[in-house]
């Protein structure tokens, strides 16, 4: 729960000592606070040939009230920005000090059709990266490779991934770098996602690749308020009594949702306390019980539900030679099969409403495998399969399904890991620190957002760009 | 080039010292040698419900002359094996010592349709993993999730990935663990791939997921000899003068191919020497030159070519703020754009014959990004895009395109990395050591194999299951 090294090296004495000993100095990440402006400072805009997304970006920049400067690669930005009534200027590398520190770098690579056209990316980041301040944001925008018209275009767009992930590893200082692929026709659906990646809400999300497609479903986009986007929505969160689950419940409630927290009967007291604070509803069910799907469906039937977050999960780590059959089965059942049963019950009865959101919790172990976690990793890899397989099925109803995959998150569970292993897990990422439960919760809130209707079938790691992967 | 720690801890004194100090003891990996049997020992067979691949496996086991035992999960194996004229028995956990050490564990999970049916995987590996000897092989067989009929089946099949990668991380002792997804109808095309994963040729390939589809093209499978599968084939290898390229040339020649080595004019002497040894043909071209594609096409025009290996590549590492435009451009051009130009020339003129093979070289940096390698990582991510985008285009002509993605390979290049960084790179994988150029070369030879016609559009890491990924 407490990274004392992070605190120490950010104290005046600790900072001096760390500097003189050459120790890593993780940045104190800037996180979202309701009493601080979510967006401020100066964005530098860059672009490759024939950028298709500048208009959507101008709308976004106007909406969040930031100021922009155009890099020489994005000459089109200045007249466009003026049309949108934006204050804007030109980025001059030589006098970048005069702009003060930049808070975000946005590059529109959507028009790049050949590997020989990638050079402006180098020019832009070469000129601007040093002017990006602590906890700054790098966002590269492209077209989904698999939807490109030619192999040359697919190849060039796919190359952006190597660049963006490298930028994340280079930038350090709490800076995140992410790649957003926007499908043709989905330009107007980028705002919720870009707000998330620009905001301190995404403090621990870096090195990720997200695709925005055409909006699922047929209805019009429901109206919402950017300050209370989940107002009027009902959200179920499993495992909500404590830890990450309680944090998810709390963030969804802060965004306006009515939260229905589910946890096992033995956690009833903690669950009741958490739900009382949030004016939520507590349901004490063991999700692994055969009757649970029907019970949950019955409890939600009258008012329905808009958001389902499958957060409940357990670990029973042992090497497979020492793992009992019961340990294998219970982890697979609670972390994976129970979700399938509950979703199926809610979907079949129409209790999860059209336009709804399902969000699973996978894990880096599910992506990369892990020693002693054959059961856990299988269950969390299964969650990825669940997301990918269900997304096309749910599209017609406007329901999205996605998962987050946390890396090292500071919780009571990770606090029990022996010190040296804990330190390795904490530092082996671009932020040189573990994440907080709220980082997972904020990522889930973005996926639950009414504006995220074009984001489905995706796995987003909340890992500070952990080195570990597959 | 030389991992002196590996040598030391495998000496009698070093082994004692490492044991008493609790130091890691990487296994000396068993690699393919023409003077040693490629396949020997005892395979244990396991299976989930309704396994679809046992017949194909029985053919394989008969073909390579191994002996098998059936785990209790694979009761169907014994009568089937007898029909194929195989010596076979039953695996008994209690008396597993009586079987001596197993050399491979094969599990057919192809019939699993629901996460609740995953238990036999636990049972099988729980019982058998401890009986698997040094440098043993674990292969899990399933169905490609994205081709499954139901979301439940997709989910269960996708779960196999987390299990297999975890097994690779647990097993250690030079054991590899890989997952092979076999498309319905592709059962008869599994032999070349399973031979590779069972063989010492795949010593440094672990934690990988490979898909075998229906064979590309329309013609009948060309006849070949398992001992000289590339006999009569012509293979172009770029960057063939030294290092990994020379090793690729040498392995392809040993498999019977006539190798045409390409390298830059300044490496002419080394190239000539390498090609002389292999009775190959040396072509001194700078692949980055605008006229190179036409020149290469002209040189190959008369006899055509069957295999193209794009091995040539350069690094010019710098953080992006310090990277010159020339350093960016030359890396993108040589590592990526030149390959596109050469392939397009060979394909347009029909010089690369139907049924051919294109093999690119990506990198873990192209998957995960790397500090100081924005240019290199972009180029190597582009190679992935190239493979994925071209595979469907080339299918009708029976041409496959794939890439290998090396991790830490012991070369003159990695020998120049400072010791502590080199040690970290070497040890951060399931083999606790770097790979050898021959490991990359053998993987390419498998992809070039006439029996690999169902393997296309894939990226296979040769990294000893490096921790690093995305």
């Amino acid at each position: 729960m407490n990274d004392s090294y992070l605190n120490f090296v950010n104290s005046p004495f600790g900072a001096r000592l760390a500097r003189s000993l050459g120790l890593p100095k993780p940045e104190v990440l800037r996180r979202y606070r309701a009493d601080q402006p979510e967006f401020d400072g100066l964005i530098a805009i860059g672009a490759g040939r024939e950028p298709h997304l500048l208009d959507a970006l101008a709308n976004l920049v106007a909406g969040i009230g930031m100021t922009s400067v155009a890099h020489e690669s994005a000459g089109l930005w200045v007249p466009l920005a003026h049309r949108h009534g934006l204050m804007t200027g030109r980025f001059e590398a030589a006098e970048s000090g005069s702009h003060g520190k930049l808070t975000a770098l946005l590059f529109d690579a959507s028009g790049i059709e050949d590997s020989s056209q990638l050079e402006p990316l180098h020019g832009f980041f070469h000129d601007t990266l040093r002017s990006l301040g602590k906890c700054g944001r790098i966002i590269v925008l492209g077209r989904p490779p698999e939807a490109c018209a030619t192999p040359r275009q697919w190849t060039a767009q796919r190359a952006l991934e190597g660049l963006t992930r490298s930028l994340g590893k280079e930038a350090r200082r709490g800076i995140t770098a992410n790649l957003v692929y926007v499908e043709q026709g989905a330009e107007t659906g980028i705002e919720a996602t870009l707000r998330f990646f620009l905001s301190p809400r995404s403090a621990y999300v870096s090195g990720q690749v997200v695709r925005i497609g055409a909006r699922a479903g047929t209805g019009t986009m429901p109206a919402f308020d950017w300050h209370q986007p989940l107002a009027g929505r009902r959200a179920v969160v499993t495992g909500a009594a404590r830890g990450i689950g309680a944090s998810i419940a709390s963030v969804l409630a802060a965004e306006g949702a009515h939260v229905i927290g589910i946890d096992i009967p033995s956690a009833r007291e903690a669950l009741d306390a958490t739900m009382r604070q949030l004016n939520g509803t507590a349901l004490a069910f063991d999700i692994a019980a055969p009757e649970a799907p029907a019970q949950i469906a019955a409890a939600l039937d009258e008012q329905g539900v808009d958001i389902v977050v499958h957060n409940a999960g357990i670990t029973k780590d042992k090497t497979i030679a020492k793992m009992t059959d019961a340990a294998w089965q219970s982890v697979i059942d609670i972390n994976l099969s129970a979700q399938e049963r509950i979703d199926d019950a809610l979907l079949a009865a129409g209790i999860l409403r059209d336009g709804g959101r399902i969000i699973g919790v996978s894990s880096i172990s599910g992506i990369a495998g892990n020693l002693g976690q054959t059961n856990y990793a299988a269950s969390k890899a299964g969650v990825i399969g669940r997301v990918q397989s269900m997304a096309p099925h749910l599209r017609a109803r406007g329901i999205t399904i996605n998962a987050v995959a946390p890396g090292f998150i500071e919780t009571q569970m990770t606090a029990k890991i022996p010190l040296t292993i804990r330190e390795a897990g904490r530092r082996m990422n671009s932020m040189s620190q573990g994440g907080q439960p709220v980082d997972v919760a904020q990522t889930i809130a973005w996926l639950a957002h009414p504006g995220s209707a074009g984001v489905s079938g995706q796995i987003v790691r909340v890992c500070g760009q952990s080195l570990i992967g597959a």
Side-chain angles (χ1 to χ4, degrees), chain A residues 12 61 103 188 235 259 298 340 393 408:
Chain A
V61 174
T103 54
T188 56
V259 176
E340 296 181 291
H393 280 259
F408 187 97

Side-chain angles (χ1 to χ4, degrees), chain A residues 45-54 57 73-74 105-115 117-122 124-125 139-145 148 152-161 163-164 178-182:
Chain A
I45 306 282
R49 64 179 287 289
E50 295 188 20
H52 302 299
L53 301 169
L54 292 185
L57 290 181
S73 61
L105 309 180
L106 252 68
F107 190 95
D108 180 354
S110 60
I112 292 177
E113 294 184 337
D114 192 284
S115 61
Q117 298 162 358
L118 291 165
E119 200 283 328
L121 287 149
H122 165 263
F124 177 68
F125 291 108
I139 304 176
V140 177
L141 295 138
R143 292 297 195 191
C148 287
R152 290 286 186 108
Q153 189 184 1
W154 177 325
T155 299
Q157 290 293 326
R158 185 62 177 73
L160 301 176
E161 211 179 300
L163 167 76
T164 310
N178 294 287
L179 172 58
V180 179
Y181 284 128
V182 183

Side-chain angles (χ1 to χ4, degrees), chain A residues 205-250:
Chain A
V205 181
S206 189
Q208 298 309 293
V209 180
V210 169
R211 284 161 167 79
I212 304 179
R215 206 151 55 77
T218 50
T220 50
M221 168 90 87
F224 61 85
D225 170 356
W226 286 107
H227 295 286
Q228 285 271 297
L230 302 182
R233 315 243 154 175
R234 290 164 53 82
V236 167
V237 179
T238 66
R242 302 191 188 86
I244 294 177
S247 182
I248 296 166
S250 156

Side-chain angles (χ1 to χ4, degrees), chain A residues 3 29 42 47 108 110 126 135 242 248 286 346 383:
Chain A
D3 182 344
L29 300 183
L42 193 59
D108 180 354
S110 60
H126 173 79
C135 301
R242 302 191 188 86
I248 296 166
D286 175 1
L346 297 181
V383 169

Side-chain angles (χ1 to χ4, degrees), chain A residues 93-336:
Chain A
E95 38 150 339
S96 75
S98 70
H99 295 295
K101 287 288 189 186
L102 298 171
T103 54
L105 309 180
L106 252 68
F107 190 95
D108 180 354
S110 60
I112 292 177
E113 294 184 337
D114 192 284
S115 61
S116 62
Q117 298 162 358
L118 291 165
E119 200 283 328
L121 287 149
H122 165 263
F124 177 68
F125 291 108
H126 173 79
D127 293 346
T128 58
L129 187 55
R130 273 195 280 216
S131 303
L132 184 62
K134 287 180 185 180
C135 301
R137 295 289 183 261
I138 296 170
I139 304 176
V140 177
L141 295 138
R143 292 297 195 191
E146 61 283 1
C148 287
T150 68
R152 290 286 186 108
Q153 189 184 1
W154 177 325
T155 299
Q157 290 293 326
R158 185 62 177 73
L160 301 176
E161 211 179 300
L163 167 76
T164 310
R165 293 194 201 272
S166 297
L167 287 173
K169 292 188 175 181
E170 272 186 33
R172 316 292 300 182
R173 297 182 289 134
I175 293 167
T176 65
N178 294 287
L179 172 58
V180 179
Y181 284 128
V182 183
E183 219 174 78
Q184 220 160 349
E187 290 78 3
T188 56
I190 68 177
E191 187 162 355
T193 296
L194 291 196
R195 279 180 180 243
F196 173 68
F197 282 118
L198 284 172
S199 157
R201 295 178 195 264
S202 61
Y204 202 61
V205 181
S206 189
Q208 298 309 293
V209 180
V210 169
R211 284 161 167 79
I212 304 179
R215 206 151 55 77
T218 50
T220 50
M221 168 90 87
F224 61 85
D225 170 356
W226 286 107
H227 295 286
Q228 285 271 297
L230 302 182
R233 315 243 154 175
R234 290 164 53 82
V236 167
V237 179
T238 66
R242 302 191 188 86
I244 294 177
S247 182
I248 296 166
S250 156
V251 168
L252 296 181
E255 304 278 291
H258 178 85
V259 176
I260 300 114
I262 299 182
D263 217 314
I264 48 175
S266 62
R268 160 139 245 166
E269 234 170 283
L271 180 68
D272 283 343
T274 304
M275 289 303 121
R276 243 192 326 270
Q277 281 187 332
L278 309 174
N279 291 316
T281 306
L283 293 181
F285 287 128
D286 175 1
I287 57 164
E291 63 278 13
Q295 288 177 331
I296 293 171
L300 300 172
D301 190 27
E302 201 170 321
Q303 296 187 265
V305 66
D306 303 286
I307 298 160
V308 178
V309 183
H310 294 290
N311 164 72
I314 60 169
T315 57
K316 294 201 173 178
D317 297 357
K318 284 268 187 239
T319 57
I320 200 158
K322 293 185 182 165
M323 185 181 290
T324 63
D325 197 57
W328 170 274
Q329 294 268 42
S330 64
V331 167
I332 298 282
D333 190 60
I334 292 174
N335 295 5
L336 180 57

Side-chain angles (χ1 to χ4, degrees), chain A residues 395-449:
Chain A
R395 208 183 139 69
R397 293 176 56 182
I399 297 172
T400 69
I401 180 166
N402 295 284
V404 295
F408 187 97
I409 304 294
E410 305 278 355
T411 61
Q412 285 176 335
M413 205 161 81
T414 53
K416 286 178 195 149
I417 298 172
L419 178 72
T420 51
I421 296 175
R422 191 169 69 227
E423 270 301 297
R426 266 181 181 155
R427 305 296 166 217
M428 276 171 59
N429 59 68
S430 295
M431 303 295 150
S432 300
Q433 61 194 287
Q436 297 291 334
V438 72
D439 298 325
V440 178
Q442 290 285 7
T443 307
I444 288 173
W446 154 56
L447 294 168
H449 197 287

